[in-house]
Amino acid sequence: MSKLIQIGKVASLGRLCQSSLQLVKKQQPLSSFPPPFDPPEPTSEPFIPPYQAREGEPLSVLKARLLYQSRKRGMLENGLLLSTFAAKFLDSMNETELKDYDRIINLPSNDWDIYYWATGVKPIPIDFDTPIMHKFIEHVRNDSKESRFRQPDLRGQ
């Protein structure tokens, strides 16, 4: 008796599969349906929102933001170079230098550009050829052979 029940179950399963296949065959191909949205163009880089200068930002907030952004780069080389530069020079920068530094670290969409400009692999674009960029390049050159294997400790801790 159990053999008959098993055969019946297999036959039922077979009929179910055949009816499912017939339904699939009757449907329109997916390419005939309009897409619900236009897919974005494929790119090799993720979307990065455009840089917007922050007008009227208090200097203390600007310095704190730049210190954070100098440390959190997503790229170890720039994290080390920019964090040591910020620890050394950020407090003594005037408002113009702070704005230039803000543009240097936030306007390029690719952190490798900053690294290549600072190390002399690529020429500095005119928009970024500022005294602060040259000070950063001098810092990167590290003529005094300072150890820069880790980011400096944050002040106040």
Side-chain angles (χ1 to χ4, degrees), residues 120-135:
V121 172
K122 288 184 176 181
I124 305 167
I126 294 171
D127 292 344
F128 299 104
D129 195 1
T130 64
I132 280 295
M133 178 55 106
H134 289 279
K135 195 174 199 174

Side-chain angles (χ1 to χ4, degrees), residues 7 9 12 14 35 43 133 135 156:
I7 292 173
K9 286 183 178 179
S12 295
T43 62
M133 178 55 106
K135 195 174 199 174

Side-chain angles (χ1 to χ4, degrees), residues 109-129:
S109 64
N110 187 344
D111 250 20
W112 281 106
D113 287 337
I114 299 169
Y115 182 78
Y116 289 145
W117 300 334
T119 57
V121 172
K122 288 184 176 181
I124 305 167
I126 294 171
D127 292 344
F128 299 104
D129 195 1

Side-chain angles (χ1 to χ4, degrees), residues 84 142 144-150:
T84 53
N142 196 13
S144 62
K145 306 294 184 215
E146 295 173 350
S147 174
R148 296 184 185 152
F149 296 111
R150 59 188 283 280

Side-chain angles (χ1 to χ4, degrees), residues 80-135:
L80 291 171
L81 295 173
L82 291 168
S83 67
T84 53
F85 180 78
K88 195 171 190 177
F89 298 108
L90 198 63
D91 284 336
S92 63
M93 288 185 198
N94 62 36
E95 190 171 355
T96 303
E97 291 171 328
L98 288 167
K99 300 249 184 221
D100 285 344
Y101 184 63
D102 188 10
R103 291 183 74 251
I104 288 168
I105 67 171
N106 288 308
L107 195 56
S109 64
N110 187 344
D111 250 20
W112 281 106
D113 287 337
I114 299 169
Y115 182 78
Y116 289 145
W117 300 334
T119 57
V121 172
K122 288 184 176 181
I124 305 167
I126 294 171
D127 292 344
F128 299 104
D129 195 1
T130 64
I132 280 295
M133 178 55 106
H134 289 279
K135 195 174 199 174

Side-chain angles (χ1 to χ4, degrees), residues 3-15:
K3 286 262 189 206
L4 287 176
I5 293 174
Q6 288 177 349
I7 292 173
K9 286 183 178 179
V10 170
S12 295
L13 185 59
R15 283 192 297 275

